[in-house]
Amino acid sequence: MTDEQWGALQTTICKTVGDNNYQTWIKPLRFCGLEGGVARFDAPTNFFGNYVSQNFGDLLISQIASVNPGVRRLTFKVGDAANSVATPPAPKPEPAAAAQPARDELPGAPLDSRFTFDSFVVGKPNELAHAAAKRVAEGGPVTFNPLFLYGGVGLGKTHLMHAIAWELRARNPGLVVLYLSAEQFMYRFVQALRERRMMDFKEMFRSVDVLMVDDVQFIAGKDSTQEEFFHTFNALVDQNKQIIISADRAPDEIKDLENRIRSRLQSGLVVDLHPTDYELRLGILQTKAEMYRAHYPGLQIDDGVLEFLAQRISTNVRVLEGALTRLFAFASLVGKPINMDLVHDSLADVLRASERKISIDEIQRKVADHYNIRLSDIVGPKRVRTFARPRQVAMYLCKQLTSRSLPEIGRRFGGRDHTTVMHGVRRIEELRQQDGQIDEDVEMLRRALEA
Ligand SMILES: Nc1ncnc2c1ncn2[C@@H]1O[C@H](COP(=O)(O)OP(=O)(O)OP(=O)(O)O)[C@@H](O)[C@H]1O
């Protein structure tokens, strides 16, 4: 086949595959020669060659066979044009430029530039998820497919997915990484159905190297979307392409999800992001406060403020970040340092909302369990040390972890006076300094209550 014949065939191929596909996938190919039934092409990247072979291979063979009936196979090599003897080398399309249109046309969501591994704070609750994400981001051989990340609201699933995408792209700019929400997947699917462009839809999703679908629980109960998702998923796994999925719960807890999808989702590595603990929250607050300081130079944060927020605000990191943003904004508006007064003035609603989390009742039960006494002994009148000390610990925790007033706490401890509560709280504060065992008990209980 001559270059002219290949040129003429391209016109026909363009009509068959459509201008978009032609410009993206066929035009950048360079015909390098035909020997022994094998048509050789130069492709900008390996991925590119694989894609063309899988999606347009049959079409190319049948077209080439119309001028060279002996053709049976195609090969795509990167840089093959330079080795060609059949045709003189011609300017080769830039790999990046050729791969780019495909990525631009992909229906993904934009990546948030703040969500990188550098800005992700690692602690006990998320260390496994972080390690798994890091491994996938290295882009080595696919070892677990899919990586399934799950966890409650605002615990960093999206952050980790974006971080993977950034890192993969940085390591290999030619890689086609597609990130989108399950809702966007459904939207694209419905749109393709409506516009009768299902082939394009399928090709598009099957052309990626890495597919990331956020909040997959969204497709539960949506039968045809699930069906299409299942096929996309299988096609990519068969090609050994990495898939990363997130959801707000484990695969077996997502209701109305087809069993075959559930088991597919479970077939890789399932890792959860646990609710944040005090240390992680404090770490996140310190990191973010450091970043804010760069924007608000000169703003001071009093000692104890971040610790207080880490202790009092819920496990959701988004709420934590919102609180910090508000503090910095208020402080810069009124030109004051960030101190406890400002915290109470500007975050009253956030503190009120989060205090609902831990109740006096819960604290009393946990403390009674811990010291192996009955709940009635915690709230009862007996003053023996075996009951009095746990009672004081419980009062102390109520003061620390709820925003109930001293009289109210007293009432909930068998109608005691607020001065008794105050005395109990002070006693535990002292003992925490002097007695390592008490300090450890209190710390353990606090963690258990906040978990
Ligand atoms: N470990 C962390 N270190 C730093 N920032 C974090 C961490 N975890 C969460 N965040 C931040 O908290 C916010 C919420 O995180 P993200 O959007 O990733 O949560 P999500 O788990 O995807 O929540 P949703 O289920 O609501 O989609 C983001 O701004 C993110 O940067």
Side-chain angles (χ1 to χ4, degrees):
M1 184 172 71
T2 61
D3 274 356
E4 288 70 36
Q5 284 174 318
W6 169 237
L9 285 182
Q10 288 189 55
T11 316
T12 323
I13 293 169
C14 176
K15 281 194 192 126
T16 315
V17 300
D19 198 44
N20 256 351
N21 276 326
Y22 171 74
Q23 293 292 340
T24 308
W25 300 109
I26 308 296
K27 199 163 168 230
L29 295 174
R30 293 250 313 105
F31 176 63
C32 302
L34 204 161
E35 277 165 58
V38 181
R40 287 194 291 119
F41 287 89
D42 175 71
T45 62
N46 283 330
F47 159 73
F48 199 103
N50 288 341
Y51 183 91
V52 175
S53 167
Q54 271 154 19
N55 293 281
F56 307 112
D58 291 346
L59 172 71
L60 289 180
I61 290 179
S62 69
Q63 286 300 319
I64 298 169
S66 66
V67 284
N68 278 86
V71 71
R72 293 184 314 277
R73 211 155 58 80
L74 307 171
T75 61
F76 298 90
K77 287 223 174 83
V78 180
D80 204 19
N83 305 324
S84 165
V85 283
T87 49
K92 199 156 69 95
E94 280 293 309
Q100 204 55 43
R103 181 187 292 174
D104 290 347
E105 282 172 22
L106 289 170
L111 298 178
D112 191 318
S113 61
R114 294 165 307 165
F115 293 178
T116 61
F117 281 118
D118 282 346
S119 62
F120 191 81
V121 182
V122 186
K124 266 249 153 308
N126 60 22
E127 66 180 344
L128 213 66
H130 173 261
K134 269 289 211 192
R135 171 63 60 83
V136 168
E138 282 166 10
V142 176
T143 41
F144 28 78
N145 216 2
L147 169 62
F148 188 97
L149 297 169
Y150 76 93
V153 174
L155 296 183
K157 301 179 292 291
T158 303
H159 189 135
L160 275 182
M161 290 178 110
H162 285 210
I164 297 173
W166 285 123
E167 185 146 337
L168 282 170
R169 284 185 183 175
R171 282 171 186 260
N172 182 356
L175 209 66
V176 182
V177 180
L178 177 63
Y179 164 86
L180 81 174
S181 66
E183 187 177 1
Q184 283 167 320
F185 180 87
M186 185 182 92
Y187 172 76
R188 292 286 166 177
F189 169 63
V190 172
Q191 189 184 33
L193 278 178
R194 207 178 45 230
E195 294 171 2
R196 296 174 201 280
R197 292 172 50 134
M198 271 315 287
M199 278 313 288
D200 289 350
F201 176 90
K202 284 178 191 291
E203 269 164 24
M204 193 75 90
F205 277 94
R206 283 154 179 69
S207 74
V208 303
D209 294 309
V210 180
L211 175 68
M212 303 184 168
V213 181
D214 210 346
D215 290 321
V216 81
Q217 73 278 354
F218 182 84
I219 62 165
K222 305 190 169 81
D223 294 344
S224 7
T225 305
Q226 283 194 46
E227 170 91 21
E228 193 52 40
F229 177 74
F230 181 71
H231 294 311
T232 306
F233 189 106
N234 287 342
L236 289 172
V237 170
D238 287 348
Q239 294 176 58
N240 216 18
K241 302 292 173 62
Q242 181 72 58
I243 301 177
I244 302 152
I245 306 281
S246 89
D248 63 355
R249 64 203 79 169
D252 53 356
E253 286 168 10
I254 305 177
K255 272 202 269 155
D256 298 327
L257 196 64
E258 277 182 41
N259 278 335
R260 56 185 185 158
I261 296 188
R262 197 189 307 282
S263 69
R264 267 300 200 177
L265 294 178
Q266 285 166 326
S267 64
L269 181 68
V270 178
V271 253
D272 59 340
L273 288 127
H274 296 279
T276 58
D277 59 12
Y278 172 77
E279 286 76 13
L280 179 58
R281 288 199 291 276
L282 186 59
I284 292 172
L285 283 169
Q286 284 166 339
T287 310
K288 308 255 170 197
E290 217 37 68
M291 278 158 38
Y292 276 123
R293 279 205 194 97
H295 292 289
Y296 299 96
L299 257 189
Q300 288 301 312
I301 306 182
D302 277 10
D303 285 349
V305 166
L306 297 183
E307 287 77 1
F308 174 81
L309 295 179
Q311 194 158 68
R312 283 292 304 277
I313 294 186
S314 71
T315 60
N316 179 341
V317 181
R318 206 174 280 124
V319 178
L320 211 59
E321 281 182 339
L324 202 62
T325 312
R326 209 193 289 180
L327 276 183
F328 271 91
F330 270 51
S332 76
L333 278 176
V334 296
K336 285 188 185 160
I338 298 181
N339 55 26
M340 287 309 289
D341 287 345
L342 191 80
V343 168
H344 286 294
D345 284 350
S346 59
L347 298 178
D349 56 336
V350 181
L351 295 175
R352 226 177 300 119
S354 66
E355 92 200 10
R356 260 184 258 120
K357 260 188 68 48
I358 303 174
S359 65
I360 291 182
D361 206 39
E362 223 177 312
I363 294 173
Q364 290 171 334
R365 276 174 207 285
K366 266 265 171 355
V367 174
D369 275 357
H370 179 80
Y371 287 102
N372 217 4
I373 59 177
R374 285 175 308 184
L375 185 61
S376 56
D377 294 327
I378 290 262
V379 295
K382 292 191 191 138
R383 292 189 189 184
V384 286
R385 171 77 68 87
T386 34
F387 301 150
R389 194 64 86 226
R391 188 180 297 135
Q392 287 175 332
V393 167
M395 286 175 175
Y396 170 85
L397 287 168
C398 288
K399 180 77 187 73
Q400 292 293 317
L401 303 179
T402 74
S403 62
R404 302 282 170 231
S405 64
L406 294 176
E408 198 172 345
I409 296 174
R411 265 199 304 281
R412 302 287 298 277
F413 280 76
R416 287 177 161 82
D417 189 69
H418 78 278
T419 53
T420 311
V421 180
M422 198 153 60
H423 171 74
V425 172
R426 290 217 180 113
R427 187 77 192 113
I428 297 300
E429 274 167 0
E430 285 163 14
L431 284 172
R432 286 196 75 174
Q433 307 294 323
Q434 303 156 7
D435 183 335
Q437 184 59 52
I438 290 267
D439 189 44
E440 212 174 283
D441 284 354
V442 171
E443 191 52 27
M444 221 168 85
L445 282 160
R446 187 181 59 71
R447 281 179 202 218
L449 283 158
E450 284 186 331

